[in-house]
Amino acid sequence: MSDFDHTQIDDLIHSRIRLAVIAVLAGVDKAEFTFIRDRVKTTDGNLSTHLRKLEDRRYVAIEKRIDGRKPVTEVSLTESGREAFERYLAHLESMLGAAQSRGQT
């Protein structure tokens, strides 16, 4: 594998919105849907679509409940999601570090 092997980048995470969602979730135990939506600055429908893709890969766990009469959706990063995010970040750091070191020669 070369330093710039783009095939090692997780395409599911590499989407701008999904990357932002995972970055938000990496810093908390769990977050309400509306909190994520507001932090990522997207629509309910768009966030739902991206969360479904992340849930299908088992990167996030989604829990729905009723609080009084209000439906609440909480999302958390799973262990496999956290590991995938760490691999993603490590590969990007490797690529950027290689680019920086080559630019200094």
Side-chain angles (χ1 to χ4, degrees), residues 5 10-12 28 32 37-38 44-45 47 51 53-54 60 62 64 72 76 87 102:
D5 185 358
D10 186 328
D11 288 334
L12 187 69
V28 297
E32 286 190 17
R37 181 200 61 208
D38 294 347
D44 288 357
L47 179 57
L51 285 175
K53 290 178 182 185
L54 291 166
V60 300
I62 299 174
K64 297 180 183 238
V72 176
S76 59
R87 283 191 307 271
R102 286 196 170 102

Side-chain angles (χ1 to χ4, degrees), residues 28-54:
V28 297
D29 289 334
K30 59 185 169 182
E32 286 190 17
F33 181 93
T34 54
F35 175 80
I36 299 167
R37 181 200 61 208
D38 294 347
R39 293 295 301 263
V40 173
K41 297 184 181 7
T42 192
T43 64
D44 288 357
N46 199 9
L47 179 57
S48 290
T49 298
H50 287 288
L51 285 175
R52 192 172 312 114
K53 290 178 182 185
L54 291 166

Side-chain angles (χ1 to χ4, degrees), residues 82-101:
R82 190 169 304 280
E83 290 168 2
F85 186 51
E86 289 171 2
R87 283 191 307 271
Y88 176 85
L89 291 176
H91 189 68
L92 284 183
E93 288 173 356
S94 172
M95 289 175 72
L96 295 172
Q100 186 178 34
S101 66

